[in-house]
Amino acid sequence: MSAADISSVREVNFDGLVGPTHNYSGLAVGNVASMSHGGLVSNPKEGALQGLLKMKSLMDAGYAQGVLPPQQRPDIGALRDLGFSGSNSEVLARAALEAPQLLRAVCSASSMWTANAGTITPSIDASDNRVHFTPANLQSSFHRYLEPQTTGRVLQAIFRDEQHFAHHPVLPATPAFSDEGAANHTRLCGEHGEPGVHLFVYGRQTFGDVRSGDREPQRYPARQTLEASQAVARQHGLTEAQTVFAQQHPDAIDAGVFHNDVIAVGNGPVLLYHEMAFLNEEGTLDALRAKMSTPLIPVRVPLEAVSMEDAVASYLFNSQLLSNPDGTMTLVVPGECQEREAVWNTIQNHLLAGNNPISEVIVKDVKQSMRNGGGPACLRLRVVLTDAERAALTGRVLLTATLYDDLTAWVNRHYRDRLAPDDLADPQLAEESLTALDELTQLLKIGPVYPFQLG
Ligand code: SUG
């Protein structure tokens, strides 16, 4: 690629829209926020508007912003597969009575966290010069296992042009290949248009050498396996020289770090991470240094500056780290970082004042999502695209002022501002959700991506 081509390459952050059934059901084991907020009343309208505002302000600041639709919930088809029958209202009523935990699972709006939608390899790193996609199987939890089929359809609808985009199958949805997508994958490079090294972080290993028990988490599940990460790298044609596989620190998982993006974030040559992120910190950095063609800029936050409790509660590391044209970087942090003194001090005195490209901090309120354990970085899927690839996208998915206005009006028209766990069996909610998504597919011009079931 010529210098001009390299600079035409941009990272597009595709944020997931918060769906109309966004609620607090405490479904995610090992995710402290989700577990502790189960049972609260949610505000789906506020959640969706908070997400849209985040997208709008980043677009206004000059960053390329995309949007991905939510999935159809409640997933009545999943309840039918589990033996509930009758009309849609009957299915919902029976599930509410006989298996309320299943009803809650099929109502989760978890597809908003698009960092778990899949793993993406930019064309610059692929031998066939196409962008590669693998939807994550999310088999660790039932409510998220319901996502990959529709995720695959959405990705294939938007990234449809076969000349530019290649889609791979979801990995086998079994514990050995447990995959949670880009939340455990970081691409390190010079500029986005230069070749990158792919850091895959996993929590456990299934085959091969048996690891001693104390090197795996004891309290909470490890959601990513080495075997899954290796399979994704293989699908995308990434070579040994382009990949580093590192084990996440098991103590971090046990402290509530259920994805690597809760304890580390990378962008360009910068890797911002907490001391407890990797089991073998030095080995991981050395492996990256050996493979990268540009010097790695590690920004390490020690335990004495930010405790694990502060890291998990504030989601400091679930920030978006964005490149600016002048070579500096902007860190987009959730509002919760301001509420913890140690975290805020670290941002001011260590990150901003330190010898690294981070020169600005933007604070965003995504509280509705945060209460379910989803910060700014969970809400976005990064796709590095050339000019030609951006031009080849299908649908109206790159945010503009008009699309923002349309989406905001759409949310205001269709979303409730109050949803309690007991409301989930309301057949009216299912109808509202369906009507909203039907309209959304027309608004985004992405064609039929939902397996719509009407009553
Ligand atoms: O998988 N929460 C999600 C949060 C995902 C955050 N993503 C990243 N770190 N990239 C999860 O734990 C809670 C849903 C509920 O309880 O309804 C939930 O699934």
Side-chain angles (χ1 to χ4, degrees), residues 289-433:
R289 285 191 186 104
K291 296 186 180 184
M292 285 170 65
S293 50
T294 193
L296 175 72
I297 307 177
V299 182
R300 177 184 198 261
V301 175
L303 198 52
E304 64 191 28
V306 173
S307 66
M308 288 306 289
E309 197 207 326
D310 277 346
V312 171
S314 70
Y315 263 39
L316 165 61
F317 298 92
N318 201 258
S319 302
Q320 290 178 251
L321 191 52
L322 302 171
S323 296
N324 300 320
D326 64 0
T328 63
M329 293 188 194
T330 295
L331 192 68
V332 184
V333 304
E336 283 71 4
C337 287
Q338 280 179 313
E339 292 160 17
R340 301 237 158 195
E341 203 184 335
V343 172
W344 196 243
N345 286 343
T346 298
I347 291 174
Q348 300 301 326
N349 305 332
H350 183 64
L351 304 187
L352 285 175
N355 183 21
N356 66 64
I358 306 170
S359 66
E360 183 193 24
V361 166
I362 297 181
V363 180
K364 285 284 131 212
D365 177 6
V366 287
K367 218 176 214 22
Q368 286 289 329
S369 166
M370 280 288 287
R371 289 202 195 106
N372 256 337
C378 300
L379 286 162
R380 63 96 170 92
L381 180 65
R382 301 199 270 196
V383 189
V384 170
L385 296 171
T386 63
D387 271 347
E389 289 157 359
R390 279 199 301 282
L393 296 178
T394 300
R396 201 175 157 225
V397 292
L398 293 179
L399 199 68
T400 58
T402 323
L403 180 57
Y404 170 79
D405 288 343
D406 289 351
L407 290 171
T408 301
W410 170 79
V411 169
N412 282 322
R413 249 192 331 272
H414 293 286
Y415 279 51
R416 296 189 184 189
D417 59 10
R418 195 194 137 82
L419 206 53
D422 282 350
D423 299 329
L424 298 177
D426 178 1
Q428 191 54 39
L429 177 68
E431 289 296 321
E432 285 165 23
S433 186

Side-chain angles (χ1 to χ4, degrees), residues 26-28 31 34 113 116 143-144 183 223 258-259 261 372-373 378:
L27 296 173
N31 170 343
S34 162
W113 299 299
N116 306 118
H143 70 289
R144 303 216 66 181
R223 298 199 200 174
F258 54 95
H259 290 136
D261 72 1
N372 256 337
C378 300

